[in-house]
Amino acid sequence: MSKEVEAAAPGAEKGEETNDVEKESKSPAVEAEPSINSAAPAPPPQAKGGNLSPEASAAAEEAKRLQHQSELEARAIAQATASADASYVPSPSLLTSPSPHPLLSQVDGPSLKSYAGTESVYMARAVPVPLRGKLDVPIHITTGGSVVEYTIETAAYDISFGITAEREEGITVVKETSRVESHLKPISGKFLVGSVPCALVFSFDNEYSWFREKQVTYKIVVMPPTVENICAGRRRRAKAALKAVSEDKVSAETRLSRASTQRTGLAAEIARMEKELAEKQKSLDVVEKEESWLKNRVELRKTQENMLTGRLDKGWPDEDGYDGEEESSENEKIVQNGES
């Protein structure tokens, strides 16, 4: 079975900075070099006469190289942190919150009064990933500027591996999912988490395998930022947040002006309509009274027509030879109503 092989995150060459930026995030997680101990090495042994032996000279050169690489890594992380903080944009939920505190809480970051700055380690050995199955390891990051370093390996066979960051704004791909030969050598990498809160999901995918279960060993270390970086980061985020808040305030003021003008116009129109409605109500009362009077008038005229026609056809009730019926009292009432 052919396999696509993924190498570990490339190391920073001498004189270069590793700064692989997430492609789908405004506040990207920046991938950097695995950490290297930057402590000053012990002085190498000297040969007789004060000159360094070849072994000591080689060790000194290696120490200088590692020191330089560590400095480049620290500079890359600092630049990535500054870039992430400068591009900070408050989430829609923070901008629509009726309280000012959620935004300030995110800008401030952790409280320095209770900040310990201790790293968190997540590790497991020989975790089974069934054939045609998948294993997700979610890790929640709440402190911006944290550096995440990971090492994974598998026993006997390769596996598909990837990392995503899930935030309110959406999902960011930190590391594209691809098959890695983690059974030959450990796969390691390091990246910076700029925008928080977020959930990092380390995915071990074995869905392509029809026959073999895989066993995964992983170690994930979350290194929180230093107090100095927290102080610098909150100031950069505060500037970015102030710009976003000010722009939103200008937009809200413009909309408020339009809404106030529209409200004034609608209120005036409603007042005019209410006045017109009152006048029409008066007219309706008059028309209803006239309608009622005219109905009685019509009934009166019908009754009168019938009575007059009866007299002409059959004569008058008080005359001799009258051939009609006695007029009812109802007709008398109708006549009286029509006259009122």
Side-chain angles (χ1 to χ4, degrees), residues 86-207:
S87 61
Y88 167 75
V89 177
S91 64
S93 64
L94 293 178
L95 292 176
T96 56
S97 173
S99 172
H101 299 297
L103 172 62
L104 294 180
S105 177
Q106 190 176 86
V107 169
D108 294 346
S111 172
L112 298 181
K113 293 181 179 179
S114 58
Y115 184 66
T118 55
E119 65 181 28
S120 301
V121 180
Y122 307 85
M123 58 189 304
R125 295 186 61 83
V127 180
V129 182
L131 56 92
R132 306 294 295 166
K134 186 177 180 182
L135 170 67
D136 286 338
V137 180
I139 296 177
H140 294 273
I141 309 295
T142 57
T143 304
S146 297
V147 176
V148 179
E149 185 175 4
Y150 63 89
T151 301
I152 70 160
E153 54 185 310
T154 52
Y157 305 104
D158 69 343
I159 198 164
S160 187
F161 173 65
I163 307 172
T164 57
E166 298 180 358
R167 302 182 177 90
E168 180 184 348
E169 297 81 6
I171 298 177
T172 301
V173 177
V174 179
K175 183 183 184 305
E176 292 284 352
T177 300
S178 60
R179 291 171 68 173
V180 294
E181 290 191 337
S182 50
H183 61 300
L184 300 181
K185 62 178 180 180
I187 305 299
S188 60
K190 179 186 291 188
F191 58 90
L192 172 77
V193 179
S195 179
V196 292
C198 77
L200 297 176
V201 181
F202 293 78
S203 298
F204 302 91
D205 194 343
N206 195 34
E207 292 180 340

